[in-house]
Each structure stands twice: as C-alpha cells, then as structure tokens.
C-alpha cells in the first residue's frame, strides 16, 4: 500500500497578490472603515449585514435573525483576464439549506434571483467549494474541491481565488485558514459570458440557530491578473506508491518544460523516467521513477527549468519527501506519552491543554489519518500525519496552536477533547477503532501536591514498556512544567522486574468473579494459568479484559453461597514484561451481605491535616458480615441537614469483618505523612469538606441509609498537645458508641499521630464488666504514648433504669473531674478518663478514687468506689 505523505514548501502569500491587484482593482474592500455603504458602495439587503470587529479585524458579517435568502452587490464590469479573491469563514455546518454564493460576474444587481453569470458556491450538501456557470436557470460546475472540504460544524475559514485568463481558462484555488497556501481545485475553459455588471454575495440561510450571525467576509478584491514575475514553487510532494510521485506547484506550469524529465532530480539514488502534466490541473505534474522508493527514507526533489505560463523558470527549487508504507499498529506501538490537563497557573508552557503521542517502536511508520483520540465525554478524528520510529507529535486545538509556535511537531486539530483536571479516561484508537493505548488518571498520579493544582504536565516514565499504569506516571520535573515534543524529563527505561500482585477479587454475580492485578498482565498466561478456589468451585472460562489485561473475569462452574468466604490462589501467570506473579497471589472473597446501620463505623478522623489534601476518614467493619462499599457515600452536615454526599466507589469493594478502609483525598500525601500506614487499604475519595475546628462526618449506604455519624470538635483531643494540626482522632473501642466523646482520643505520638489503615494506637476495648464496676488498667499513664493512656471504667447492673453520677477524687477527697452527671444508664456500659482535671490540666502522679453514685426510681441508692493510680515518667 502506498503512502500519502507530503511537505509544503515555498508558499505564495495572498498579501502580495492583493497589493498588486488593488492597484487596478474594480472592487477592493477590507471593511477597515467599518462601513459598506461607500468605497465601494454595496447595495441590496443592507439591513441584514453589519461590520463587526472580530478579534481586532473589521469584517462583514451576516445579520439575519432567521431563515432568509439575502444579498449584497457592487458594480463590476470585470470579465476577462481577471482575478477575484476574498476571505470568508462560515462558522456552522453547511448544508443544502445553508450555503453562500459569491458572484464573480453577474448580469444584474439583484443576486437573490440567482441570475446568469459565474459564481463560487461554498457549502451545499457535499460541503464543497465549487465554481459554477449559471445559464438559463441551470448550474454547470467548472471546477470543484473534494467533498467535505467545508467540513467543520463551527469554523470554516478559507481564502478563495479565481482567475480567468486570456484564453478563457477558469482556475479555482482555495487556501484553508488565512495562510495563503493555495490548493488548485481545477481549471476549465468557458467563454459563455463576456460581460458583467456586478460582483457580490448571496446567502441562503435556514432557520438553524447555528447559522445566525455566523457568516463572515473580508478582503474582497477583483481586478486584472497581476503581472507574474515569480517562478513556480513546490507546494507539496505526494508519493502515490513506490514508483510514482505527484508534484503540486503553486501555479499552472507550462507543458513542455514541465514534462521534461531532465528538469527533475531526486536524491539519493534515483532519477525520473517520465514527467506528465495533469490533464485537469495544470499545476500538478506526475513523475514516474526509475527505481522504487525505499520505505522510511527521506528524499529531496530539485526542480530546474520548469516554467510557469508567464515564462518564469524554476531555479534550484527543492522540497523534501518522506516515503513510507504505513504499518498496521498494535497495542502500545504508539502511546499517550504526556499531557497537560491543568495548564493554569502557568509555569512556563502555554496556558493551553495538549496531548503528546510517541511512536514507541524502532522500525514502524504510521499515518495518523482516521485515528481517534477520546476522553470519557468527547473525541476527535486525527488528520493525515506521518509518525516515524521514536518520533513525537503534540495534539492541540487549532485555536491554541499559535501558542505552541516554538514547540516542534505540533498538530492542530479542529478541537481537542477537554482534559478534566481531577481525572478522566484517555484513549488512543488506531484503524478500525483498535485501542492502542488507554489510561484513567487522577490527581494522585502527580505524586506531588505542589504540582497537582496546575501548570505541570503528567509524563510517562517508561514509554516502551508493554503495559502502563499509575506507577508509570508522575508530574514533570522540567523547569518549564513539561516537555511537549521532546524526551520526557522523568524518562527511565529500566526494565520492569517487579512481580505482579493480585489486588482484588470481586464477585460480579453468583457465578462471575473479576480479578484485579497491580499491573497489566500477559493475556496468554492468564488463559493458561491456574486459578484455584477454596472451598472448591471450578473455573470454566477465563476472559482477560482489554486493553491492558489488568483485569480478568472468571466464569464459575457452580454458584457461590452467601455467607461463605472463599479463597482464590493464582499461579503460573505473568505480567506483560514476563515477571511471574509473586507471593501476593491469594485473596479472600465472598458474595456481599445486606448491611445494617452500625455494621461499619467511623474509626479514625484526620480533620485538621498538615496539607489541604491530607484529610482522611477511616472505616472499620465491626460486623461478622462481608459487605461491599459499592455506591456508599461520605457526607457532612450543613444547616442541620446531611449534605454534600460523595460516592466512595462505583465498583464492587469487599469489606471483610475486622478490616479497615482509609478514605483519603490524596493517598500519596497520606502515605508520606504516615509511612507506617497500610497503603493497600487506601481508597482515593474526593471527601466533602470537614472543617478543622468542628464538623460532622456521615457514612451512608447506596440507599442513603446512615451507617454511622460522628460529630467532632477540637476539644476532643488530648488537652496537653501543643497543636492538634496533623493529629488524628482515634476511636478507642469500636463497640462503644460513636457519640460517646470519651470513646475518642488523640493518636499517639510514637505512631506519628495517626494510624491510617490499621489498628488504632489508642485501641482500648472495654473489658467485660465484673460485678458492678470495674476499671482497666489499675495503673494508667496519660502521656499520649499509645500505652495505657486512658482508663476505661465499666459497669453492670441486674436491671435497667438506674441514674448515675461518676466523679474522680484525689487522695484528699477533693473532686477533680466529673465524668458523668445524673445520666440514665443501661444494664451495662463503659466510660473513659484521660487523666485530665476539671480545669484541663493533667492530674498529678498518685492515687485517685473513682466514685460512682447510682439510684433507681424506687429510691435505692448505691455508692461504688474504685482506686486507680495515675503514673508519669520519672523525669516529669
């Protein structure tokens, strides 16, 4: 299969032609005077047009509020040896009911009647630019662009040029955008009309909202063809196959000189066997080569002696041609290598999003034509673009492309799908919508809280690894914030030698189990690998999930039984680089059971973190059930109402009895502050706001039933701490009430003031009460070191409806703290004392008496006492 690669060279600019034409022009209007009633005078449906300032340029714009056919025209007798040029931008999708006719020669002023003459139609059903002759109510096409040329739904800027020479040969050319790089659409001889009275434009507009006020015009010029003193230049080279190359000149070339093969030289190591000027487009020459082109080589064509129609001869005019036969891409042949999701605030790169692609192969060439780049919400189809081995291309939108002028290999697109700051899924699809690369990023991928707020790109560490996940990405360390079009600043090609691990086993139904690995796996190894379930359930089918095979679904031969916990062990499987699975190859799983309020409790809270993204909430499953957190929510309380719910996860997430899950805004921050934390239990959740001083944490299930609620404030911390910033509140006993303020204490200093994902440093389950009142331990040391910091007092009665008051006395009999004051008691309960006095100070070392006075409704009174010892370090 041949390629369609070309390179633009030696472009003729429109500006010089306009200047030359305007000297003798019958029509010349750039609307810089802000008017179209004079110099020249335009007449017609004047109230349906206006002159506007469009990004600093005065332009004529349509002003019809709805469906209409309307026109403007100006006197012009130009009819032979003439050149007509103009700019327009149709910022809507053209159709058979929405198009523009620009009359070059009309035999009357009123264009609404579609009079006889010559005109250029922009749009219509095929979305083309077409030069028509109109005679007796019928249109005859003289030259046309390909279908779909006017293809955008929001931005169709073109400069259009038409010439009629002395021989009555009409030539239509057009330049996308405003660069002046004209493409010849075709030529034809026609001498039907030799006179004209008017030049102008006619708009056919439907009731579609997109077309209203979205026709823009500028730089109308009509005059004699300027004297050509410029030699032909090469616009592009196009390799049709290994033996045929098309040369597109910027103007028609003379037949004899253009068909002289000796006027062309192709290096290295080739020559021209034959040259032939195109029968329709005199600016196009077809070359036949003596030797076939070599795949992947760049050639230089030199042209000498080829003349234009004015006799100007090319002198050493050169252009390069990269020839290649596009390879069929496989997964990760081309990768998403870098992207800027949040460019603001600017560090050093343009304030614009971009996506960098990289050809990770050593010997493959690709043409991006028809490939697609997608996010979770939108997509864009890529144009033809050559991407050789080891090359980059930076995708940007056409509107921001000028900002990247100094950056190599930039490809402007009609639009670039928006990159969500806090994460989305990016996909690159090749021919046939085959997924070539895919990733789902979050702000945690930056691994740097100083960079995840904007201005820094995310870069891939190893672009040639066959699989890539979050561990293969991090924030750029380049001074300007990223490396678009260049080698990544975090590049590390060290081969992956880390064995994969089994992370999750998720029952999707009673007979379908999904496994999640720590990285992409070798699909063949998954199919041939061993999956053993205990108690025994046979695996009848293994289905690796694309694109990276990080997940695999197992179809089971019999159904799982609710209430039974199973173990799955995986062996004889490898990751993409070939590393066999390591010791982390076994997991428990079970069908989730129905949850009830209190099954899961809030176990730890960091509400006043050192960094803004460091908040976390720890949950603990104190039930005997296997639960799933899928669809559960975290919320807070606003204006006395549960508000601002945030879903913990949309996927199944098993929660086994006695396990912890740590919900954190930023797992990287939490892990760095608490290195002993169990990061495998961390779940990234964009938690609702929990203010530093006080607030309420709410846990809801998928049906919005409250599972637990915790109202906290700073006074619940150990009072002798100099600062509670970065100190978590830990629950002492999961089985005591969340609302019991004495059930909470500051995390111990020896663990770094937090225990995310594992047992609390202040864990102190209340012992079973013996007799009527019990204390544990008898000697305690409230110094926040995590060892016997709190005294737990339990009680039990043989009947309910007792009311109690509990006080602490020093050895002299003075009350130093009141723990309970006339509270209605249950049959049993517990309360804690952290050794502080009524005034907030820490009690002195020595003996204290716990006095517990209780009475019932019949007047029975009991006075219970226990002696405890409060201890300190000897140096205090």
């Amino acid at each position: 299969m041949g390629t369609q690669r070309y390179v633009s060279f030696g472009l003729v600019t429109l500006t010089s032609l306009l200047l030359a034409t305007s000297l003798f022009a019958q029509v010349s209007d750039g609307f810089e005077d802000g008017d179209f009633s004079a110099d020249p005078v335009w007449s017609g449906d004047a109230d349906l047009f206006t002159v506007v300032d469009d990004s600093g340029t005065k332009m004529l714009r349509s002003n019809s509020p709805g469906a209409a056919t309307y026109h403007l025209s100006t006197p012009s007798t130009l009819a032979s040896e003439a050149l007509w040029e103009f700019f327009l931008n149709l910022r809507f999708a053209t159709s058979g009911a929405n198009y523009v006719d620009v009359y070059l020669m009309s035999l009357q002023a009123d264009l609404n009647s579609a009079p006889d003459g010559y005109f250029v139609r922009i749009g219509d059903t095929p979305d083309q630019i077409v030069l028509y002759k109109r005679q007796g109510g019928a249109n005859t096409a003289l030259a046309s662009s390909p279908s779909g040329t006017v293809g955008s739904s929001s931005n169709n800027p073109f400069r259009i040029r038409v010439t009629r020479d002395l021989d009555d040969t009409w030539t239509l050319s057009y330049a996308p955008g405003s660069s002046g790089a004209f493409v010849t659409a075709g030529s034809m001889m026609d001498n039907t009309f030799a006179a004209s009275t008017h030049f102008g434009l006619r708009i056919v507009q439907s009731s579609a909202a997109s077309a209203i006020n979205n026709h823009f015009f500028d730089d109308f010029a009509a005059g004699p063809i300027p004297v050509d003193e410029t030699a032909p230049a090469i616009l592009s080279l196009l390799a049709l196959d290994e033996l045929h190359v098309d040369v597109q000149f910027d103007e028609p070339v003379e037949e004899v000189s253009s068909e002289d093969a000796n006027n062309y030289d192709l290096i290295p190591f080739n020559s021209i066997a034959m040259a032939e000027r195109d029968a329709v487009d005199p600016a196009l020459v077809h070359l036949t080569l003596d030797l076939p082109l070599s795949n992947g080589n760049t050639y230089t064509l030199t042209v000498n002696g080829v003349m234009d129609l004015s006799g100007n001869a090319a002198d050493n005019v050169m252009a390069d041609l990269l020839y290649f036969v596009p390879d069929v891409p496989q997964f990760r042949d081309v990768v998403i290598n870098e992207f800027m999701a949040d460019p603001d605030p600017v560090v050093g790169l343009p304030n614009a999003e971009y996506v960098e692609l990289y050809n990770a192969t050593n010997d493959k060439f690709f043409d991006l034509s028809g490939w697609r780049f997608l996010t979770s919400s939108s997509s864009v189809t890529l144009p033809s673009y050559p991407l050789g081995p080891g090359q980059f291309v930076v995708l940007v939108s056409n509107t921001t492309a000028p900002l990247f002028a100094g950056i190599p290999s930039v490809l402007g697109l009609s639009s670039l799908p928006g990159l969500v700051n806090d994460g989305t899924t990016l996909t690159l699809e090749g021919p046939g919508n085959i997924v070539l690369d895919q990733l789902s990023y979050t702000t945690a991928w930056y691994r740097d809280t100083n960079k995840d707020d904007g201005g820094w790109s995310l870069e891939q560490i190893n672009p040639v690894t066959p699989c890539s996940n979050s561990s293969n990405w991090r924030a750029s360390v380049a001074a300007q914030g990223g490396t678009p079009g260049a080698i990544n600043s975090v590049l590390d090609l060290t081969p992956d030698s880390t064995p994969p691990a089994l992370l999750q086993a998720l029952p999707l139904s009673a007979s379908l189990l999904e496994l999640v690995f720590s990285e992409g796996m070798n699909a063949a190894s998954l199919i041939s690998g061993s999956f053993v379930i205990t108690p025994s359930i046979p695996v009848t089918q293994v289905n690796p999930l694309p694109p990276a095979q990080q997940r695999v679904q197992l179809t089971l031969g019999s159904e799982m039984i609710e209430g039974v916990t199973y173990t799955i062990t995986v062996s004889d499987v490898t990751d993409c680089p070939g590393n066999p699975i390591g010791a982390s190859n076994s997991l428990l799983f079970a069908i989730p059971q129905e949850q009830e309020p209190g099954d899961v409790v809030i176990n730890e809270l960091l509400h006043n973190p050192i960094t803004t993204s460091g908040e976390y909430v720890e949950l603990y499953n104190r039930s005997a059930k296997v639960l799933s957190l899928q669809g559960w929510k975290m919320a807070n309380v606003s204006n006395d109402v549960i508000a601002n719910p945030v879903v913990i996860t949309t996927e199944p997430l098993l929660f086994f009895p006695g396990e912890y899950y740590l919900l954190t805004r930023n797992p990287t921050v939490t892990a760095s502050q608490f290195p002993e934390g169990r990061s495998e239990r961390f779940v990234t959740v964009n938690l609702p706001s929990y203010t530093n001083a006080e607030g309420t944490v709410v846990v809801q299930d998928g049906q919005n039933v409250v599972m637990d609620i915790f109202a906290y404030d700073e006074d619940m911390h150990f009072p002798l701490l100099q600062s509670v910033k970065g100190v978590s509140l830990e629950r002492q006993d999961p089985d005591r009430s969340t609302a019991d303020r004495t059930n909470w204490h500051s995390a111990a200093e020896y663990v770094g003031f937090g225990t995310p994902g594992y047992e609390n440093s202040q864990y102190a389950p209340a012992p079973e009460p013996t007799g009527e009142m019990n204390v544990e331990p008898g000697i305690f040391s409230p110094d926040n070191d995590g060892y016997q910091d709190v005294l737990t007092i339990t009680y039990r009665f043989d009947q309910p409806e007792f009311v109690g008051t509990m006080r602490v006395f020093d050895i002299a009999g003075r009350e130093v703290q009141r723990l309970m004051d006339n509270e209605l008691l249950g049959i049993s309960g517990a309360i804690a004392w952290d050794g502080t006095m009524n005034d907030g100070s820490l009690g002195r070392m020595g003996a204290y008496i716990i006095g517990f006075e209780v009475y019932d409704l019949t007047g029975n009174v009991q006075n219970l006492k226990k002696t405890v010892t409060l201890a300190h370090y000897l140096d205090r």
Side-chain angles (χ1 to χ4, degrees):
M1 180 177 65
T3 67
Q4 294 190 355
R5 291 279 59 78
Y6 59 87
V7 54
S8 296
F9 237 81
L11 304 179
V12 176
T13 63
L14 177 66
T15 305
S16 60
L17 289 170
L18 283 176
L19 290 174
T21 302
S22 63
L23 295 176
F24 307 100
Q26 288 198 4
V27 176
S28 178
D29 201 344
F31 305 101
E32 290 305 312
D33 57 0
D35 190 14
F36 59 90
S37 61
D39 297 326
V41 176
W42 296 84
S43 59
D45 300 308
D47 57 334
L48 297 183
F49 292 88
T50 185
V51 175
V52 297
D53 188 318
D54 187 70
S55 300
T57 301
K58 294 284 196 330
M59 302 183 76
L60 180 69
R61 194 201 73 193
S62 62
N63 203 37
S64 173
T69 298
Y70 50 107
H71 84 286
L72 283 179
S73 66
T74 188
S76 173
T77 59
L78 198 65
S80 181
E81 295 185 74
L83 180 147
W84 296 266
E85 294 179 358
F86 56 91
F87 171 83
L88 87 167
N89 190 358
L90 306 184
R91 298 177 183 173
F92 55 87
T94 58
S95 66
N98 280 290
Y99 58 86
V100 172
D101 292 340
V102 176
Y103 266 82
L104 314 175
M105 293 171 54
S106 172
L107 298 182
Q108 63 185 64
D110 183 3
L111 305 183
N112 283 342
S113 61
D116 285 354
Y118 298 98
F119 67 89
V120 178
R121 176 164 293 178
I122 302 95
D124 213 338
T125 303
D127 298 324
Q128 294 174 293
I129 300 172
V130 185
L131 173 63
Y132 281 113
K133 173 184 70 176
R134 184 168 180 82
Q135 184 180 25
N139 296 335
T140 301
L142 304 182
S144 64
S145 73
S147 296
T149 299
V150 191
S152 172
S153 63
S154 60
N155 191 46
N156 293 289
F158 290 95
R159 289 194 181 276
I160 296 175
R161 177 198 300 166
V162 179
T163 59
R164 182 183 189 181
D165 65 15
L166 184 63
D167 298 325
D168 292 317
T169 297
W170 292 82
T171 301
L172 170 67
S173 304
Y174 62 94
S178 57
S179 66
F182 280 91
V183 177
T184 301
S187 298
M188 181 176 285
M189 195 276 286
D190 187 271
N191 60 2
T192 303
F193 301 110
S196 172
T197 63
H198 285 81
F199 171 91
L201 60 111
R202 171 177 175 263
I203 296 176
V204 175
Q205 178 179 329
S206 74
S207 58
S210 61
I212 295 176
N213 299 340
N214 270 329
H215 309 73
F216 292 80
F217 307 90
D218 201 5
D219 297 336
F220 285 112
I225 296 176
V227 176
D228 181 6
E229 298 179 349
T230 304
I234 299 174
L235 277 184
S236 65
L237 299 179
L238 177 64
L240 303 178
D241 56 39
E242 61 184 6
L243 286 172
H244 297 90
V245 174
D246 278 0
V247 185
Q248 183 72 58
F249 291 97
D250 65 333
E251 58 179 320
V253 291
E254 184 268 334
E255 183 175 7
V256 174
S257 64
S258 66
E259 293 189 341
D260 185 349
N262 295 318
N263 288 339
Y264 305 89
D265 186 26
L266 187 65
I267 55 174
F269 318 123
N270 217 319
S271 58
I272 309 303
M274 184 174 65
E276 182 181 10
R277 191 178 72 165
D278 188 81
V280 176
D281 182 2
L284 178 63
V285 177
H286 308 293
L287 302 181
T288 301
L289 311 183
D290 277 329
L291 300 173
L293 298 171
S294 296
N295 191 32
N297 273 10
T298 298
Y299 296 85
T300 300
L301 178 71
T302 303
V303 180
N304 283 288
V306 174
M307 294 185 293
D308 62 17
L309 301 183
S310 300
N312 302 300
D315 182 16
N316 236 25
V317 174
M318 293 185 291
D320 288 338
L321 170 70
L322 168 63
Y323 172 75
F324 67 93
V325 178
D327 289 289
V328 177
Q330 305 298 318
F331 180 68
R332 283 195 57 86
D333 276 352
V334 177
V335 298
I336 301 169
N337 197 49
E338 180 182 348
F339 57 93
M340 177 70 79
D342 185 6
D344 188 22
V346 169
V347 173
L349 293 171
N351 190 356
E353 296 178 355
Y354 67 81
V355 176
E356 178 192 85
L357 306 182
Y358 174 68
N359 183 343
T361 71
N362 294 320
D363 55 2
K364 295 182 181 180
F365 289 82
F366 303 110
D367 182 355
L368 303 188
S369 177
W371 293 23
R372 293 204 307 160
F373 173 72
L374 308 91
T375 67
S376 299
S377 58
S378 60
S379 67
V380 64
T381 300
L382 306 186
S384 181
Y385 187 91
L387 193 64
Q391 291 183 343
F392 303 92
V393 61
V394 182
L395 308 183
V396 300
S397 69
N398 284 330
T399 56
T400 62
L403 302 177
F404 293 85
I407 294 173
S409 307
V410 171
L411 177 59
L413 307 175
S414 58
S415 64
L416 182 69
L419 308 181
V420 181
N421 292 355
D422 56 2
T424 187
T425 297
L426 309 182
T427 304
L428 177 65
E429 291 183 349
N433 297 333
I434 298 298
V435 173
L436 301 180
D437 198 15
Q438 187 174 67
L439 56 92
S440 297
Y441 69 92
T442 68
T443 53
W445 283 31
Y446 289 89
R447 306 193 212 176
D448 189 334
T449 57
N450 296 318
K451 295 181 178 180
D452 61 11
D453 288 331
W456 299 87
S457 74
L458 277 168
E459 294 183 350
Q460 190 169 207
I461 297 170
N462 186 349
V464 299
T465 184
C467 301
S468 181
N469 52 31
S470 60
S471 64
N472 197 33
W473 288 82
R474 62 172 299 179
S476 174
V477 296
Q480 63 178 1
T483 56
I487 295 173
N488 286 351
S489 62
V490 300
L491 180 70
D492 184 355
L493 300 180
T494 304
D496 175 13
S497 59
T498 304
L502 182 60
L503 298 183
Q504 295 183 71
L506 307 172
L508 302 184
S509 70
S511 58
L512 187 62
L513 180 67
E514 183 168 292
L515 305 183
V516 182
F517 295 90
S518 60
E519 56 183 306
M521 302 295 288
N522 181 288
S525 76
L526 291 175
I527 294 173
S528 62
S530 171
F531 301 90
V532 177
I533 298 175
T534 308
S536 181
I537 298 180
V539 175
T540 59
Q541 185 175 346
V542 179
N543 181 28
L545 301 181
Q549 290 81 44
Q550 191 171 350
R551 294 171 178 256
V552 61
Q553 288 183 353
L554 307 180
T555 302
L556 307 183
S558 59
E559 293 189 348
M560 294 174 272
I561 301 172
E562 184 173 326
V564 176
T565 298
Y566 298 88
T567 301
I568 184 164
T569 301
V570 181
S571 57
D572 299 326
V573 300
T574 65
D575 61 13
C576 282
N579 299 303
I581 195 166
S584 300
N585 66 334
S586 184
L587 283 178
L588 300 176
F589 67 94
I591 293 181
Q593 297 167 270
E594 192 70 26
Q595 67 272 4
E596 294 179 297
D599 282 347
V600 172
V601 295
I602 299 163
N603 197 57
E604 185 175 350
L605 169 67
L606 180 57
H607 59 93
N608 188 357
I610 294 175
T611 61
T612 55
S613 61
E615 284 184 348
Y616 68 67
V617 178
E618 183 184 78
L619 304 182
Y620 176 71
N621 183 353
R622 68 176 186 180
S623 75
K625 306 173 185 174
V626 177
L627 306 172
S628 174
L629 293 182
Q630 184 178 25
W632 285 35
K633 305 177 185 73
M634 298 301 299
N636 58 19
V637 171
S638 178
N639 297 322
D640 298 325
V641 175
I642 294 175
N644 307 308
V646 175
V647 175
I648 295 173
T649 176
T650 58
E651 295 190 345
L653 183 60
L654 296 182
F655 204 177
F656 286 89
E659 280 194 346
Y660 307 86
Y661 272 121
L662 196 286
L663 315 181
T664 171
R665 293 178 183 272
N666 194 322
T668 303
V669 170
T670 302
S672 64
Q673 185 177 348
F674 303 98
E676 299 300 319
R678 305 298 190 265
S679 58
E680 69 275 9
R681 312 306 299 168
F682 292 2
V683 181
T684 304
V685 180
N686 187 23
L687 294 168
S689 176
Y690 299 124
T691 55
N692 294 346
E694 61 181 356
T696 304
V697 182
V698 183
V699 185
Q700 297 175 300
D701 69 5
Q703 288 71 48
N704 298 325
V705 175
V706 174
M707 295 289 104
D708 198 15
I709 185 168
F710 174 38
Y712 67 89
D713 60 65
E714 283 192 334
D715 292 340
M716 299 174 74
H717 279 284
F718 186 55
L720 298 186
L721 288 175
Q722 293 184 349
S723 171
V724 298
K725 194 172 189 65
V727 180
S728 74
L729 275 173
E730 292 185 338
R731 188 186 192 114
Q732 296 178 49
D733 187 351
D735 293 326
R736 287 170 53 193
S737 170
T738 306
D740 181 357
R741 293 173 62 87
T742 71
N743 196 24
W744 294 88
H745 197 281
S746 302
E749 184 175 359
Y750 83 92
V751 294
F753 297 111
T755 53
Y758 64 104
E759 184 180 280
N760 290 345
S761 62
Q762 303 293 1
Y763 175 66
E768 285 296 322
T770 57
E772 294 153 320
M773 183 173 73
N774 186 46
V775 294
E776 181 70 29
I779 302 175
F780 74 110
S781 53
D783 48 23
N784 209 50
D785 66 352
Y787 177 71
Q788 297 183 339
D789 284 335
V790 178
L791 178 73
T792 302
I793 306 155
T794 59
Y795 55 86
R796 175 184 290 166
F797 302 103
D798 56 5
Q799 63 184 41
E801 297 182 347
F802 274 96
V803 175
T805 298
M806 186 179 295
R807 294 177 291 179
V808 181
F809 300 92
D810 63 15
I811 199 66
R814 295 169 296 199
E815 180 182 324
V816 296
Q817 179 63 279
R818 182 164 297 205
L819 303 176
M820 183 189 301
D821 193 6
N822 288 323
E823 292 187 13
L824 180 63
L825 308 175
I827 292 178
S828 63
I831 194 168
W833 180 40
D834 61 4
T836 58
M837 307 290 102
N838 282 324
D839 61 3
S841 64
L842 182 62
R844 295 175 178 273
M845 184 171 60
Y848 291 84
I849 299 169
I850 309 297
F852 191 20
E853 181 182 51
V854 296
Y855 61 90
D856 61 17
L857 298 180
T858 63
N860 295 318
V861 178
Q862 297 183 54
N863 286 290
L864 309 173
K865 294 181 181 180
K866 289 286 183 179
T867 300
V868 299
T869 300
L870 191 155
H872 291 291
Y873 287 118
L874 294 178
D875 57 353
R876 294 194 175 183

